[in-house]
Amino acid sequence: MRIGMALNYSGGFKETVAELADYEKAGLDIVFVAEAYSFDAVSQMGYIAARTERLQIASGILPVYSRTPTLLAMTAAGMDYVSDGRFTLGLGASGPQVIEGFHGVPYTAPLGRTREVIEICRQVWKRERVTYEGKHYTIPLPADQGTGLGKPLKLINHPVRERIPVVIAAIGPKNVELAAEIAEGWEPIFYMPEKAADVWGASLAAGKAKRDPGLGELDVIAQASLAIGDDVSGWLELGRPMAALYIGGMGAKGKNFYNDLARRYGYEKEAEQIQELYLSGKKDEAAALVPQELLESMSLIGSEGFVRDRIQAMRESGVTTVNVTPLARTHEERIRLIEKVRELAS
């Protein structure tokens, strides 16, 4: 099982990356760099590539809407080059609030666009002359839609790898099926190992039934906050506001993927109440209603024995990479957490 970490650079990016070398020495396998509507992830990942040696680097995630498919492919190839083959292209649809609200692009056909983007990327990495006729992307642009001067081109540079790993962030049934069919990895959010099969099992099975054997086994990347000790339960409460934000505030009523997931986990009443409170501005009240069971089940916060058991539950449910957020008061303590979880997962 690989140990990953989402990069949190709210306190300063350069300072965080300086600390990242210590995590690398402690056994961290891969770091995920978010984009959302903060600084772009690509410039940050290039900086990380220059400051690390072994660590795998992943975008977590680049939205499929905000760059053309060929630019995504060029970016991935460039990142793979500067990192000496250590890059993973994490893709996702994001959501209408970011895509339409920040990028000004219609949030349409996330499934179809994701499939076409990946197919085009793989053409580019193989240095084929890119020609594509899809429902959402046509390359070159047809003459009646432009100047008529476009012609098929291939990437000038020779990529380090012609198959850069692709991870799809997905929680909806069809999106998860797509990830299991065409991607090297799948990254869900709010992962509860005991309920994963009930919620996603059918989608994963349907996708794997169509999967190209050449892709290898699906890398399942689960997220979990991490604190190990006999008196660490207080750290669990830090996840409550974030869970409320996603379940209650990410999207509108009837159009919130995370709220839908909480309902599929069996928290229909709580999901409805959290959303009503959050959208009416009562964020603290909404956070208080996040089920304790949900917080505990998707975390690695507890005694060493508890964390060992949770890692085993994740492994048995199919998780191959656990993406942790180490919680401690000092950098040195967070380093020790990575060392310990590396030991427990080995």
Side-chain angles (χ1 to χ4, degrees):
M1 180 181 281
R2 292 192 305 174
I3 302 300
M5 186 176 75
L7 193 70
N8 182 352
Y9 51 88
S10 57
F13 181 76
K14 292 182 179 179
E15 293 80 0
T16 299
V17 174
E19 295 178 346
L20 196 57
D22 295 331
Y23 289 114
E24 182 178 39
K25 293 174 185 175
L28 188 69
D29 296 303
I30 184 168
V31 63
F32 291 79
V33 182
E35 187 167 84
Y37 44 99
S38 56
F39 290 143
D40 78 288
V42 180
S43 59
Q44 327 267 357
M45 292 187 294
Y47 186 80
I48 291 171
R51 298 294 300 272
T52 56
E53 298 176 358
R54 176 191 58 81
L55 195 64
Q56 299 287 310
I57 303 165
S59 53
I61 52 135
L62 298 183
V64 295
Y65 293 93
S66 54
R67 296 169 175 86
T68 66
T70 43
L71 179 56
L72 280 166
M74 293 163 63
T75 298
M79 269 304 308
D80 208 43
Y81 175 73
V82 299
S83 66
D84 295 320
R86 292 185 283 141
F87 181 65
T88 293
L89 177 60
L91 294 173
S94 186
Q97 285 183 313
V98 173
I99 300 306
E100 296 185 356
F102 193 67
H103 294 291
V105 177
Y107 188 84
T108 58
L111 281 172
R113 289 183 184 279
T114 301
R115 180 184 292 276
E116 293 188 12
V117 162
I118 293 172
E119 289 175 351
I120 294 167
C121 281
R122 287 174 175 161
Q123 277 194 39
V124 173
W125 298 332
K126 291 178 181 177
R127 297 193 72 244
E128 298 174 355
R129 293 191 182 277
V130 180
T131 60
Y132 193 86
E133 292 188 15
K135 184 175 181 181
H136 309 288
Y137 302 102
T138 302
I139 304 174
L141 191 69
D144 61 354
Q145 296 181 32
T147 64
L149 299 176
K151 63 179 182 179
L153 298 172
K154 66 179 179 181
L155 188 69
I156 293 173
N157 310 80
H158 290 260
V160 174
R161 295 178 290 176
E162 71 169 27
R163 176 59 70 84
I164 295 170
V166 175
V167 168
I168 297 178
I171 54 175
K174 291 297 182 182
N175 306 63
V176 172
E177 181 179 335
L178 180 71
E181 178 191 350
I182 69 171
E184 279 83 1
W186 165 53
E187 184 178 12
I189 193 173
F190 299 153
Y191 188 87
M192 295 181 68
E194 290 81 5
K195 297 188 178 183
D198 292 337
V199 172
W200 291 305
S203 297
L204 289 169
K208 289 178 180 179
K210 298 176 282 186
R211 185 177 180 83
D212 179 351
L215 288 171
E217 292 296 317
L218 183 69
D219 183 21
V220 179
I221 304 162
Q223 304 173 19
S225 297
L226 172 68
I228 303 174
D230 297 325
D231 188 25
V232 295
S233 58
W235 290 110
L236 200 61
E237 291 300 304
L238 291 181
R240 194 175 288 280
M242 182 63 70
L245 166 64
Y246 277 78
I247 296 170
M250 286 291 192
K253 202 167 180 64
K255 194 69 174 179
N256 180 323
F257 311 130
Y258 313 101
N259 191 277
D260 292 343
L261 176 59
R263 292 170 185 270
R264 292 165 66 200
Y265 274 155
Y267 303 115
E268 294 91 347
K269 181 180 177 181
E270 293 90 339
E272 182 175 356
Q273 292 175 331
I274 290 168
Q275 188 175 56
E276 287 180 358
L277 287 168
Y278 204 97
L279 294 179
S280 64
K282 300 177 180 178
K283 297 180 181 180
D284 291 340
E285 292 92 331
L289 291 182
V290 174
Q292 186 76 8
E293 180 190 39
L294 176 63
L295 293 173
E296 291 175 351
S297 297
M298 62 186 189
S299 82
L300 296 174
I301 297 177
S303 67
E304 183 174 321
F306 173 84
V307 171
R308 182 185 290 109
D309 290 345
R310 297 311 297 159
I311 290 173
Q312 183 59 27
M314 287 185 171
R315 180 181 281 112
E316 290 175 357
S317 74
V319 173
T320 49
T321 299
V322 58
N323 200 16
V324 302
T325 302
L327 301 173
R329 290 176 177 82
T330 68
H331 175 60
E332 289 71 24
E333 290 175 309
R334 290 189 288 272
I335 292 297
R336 286 196 290 272
L337 282 174
I338 294 297
E339 292 173 338
K340 175 55 71 171
V341 77
R342 172 76 276 167
E343 174 190 327
L344 294 176
S346 63

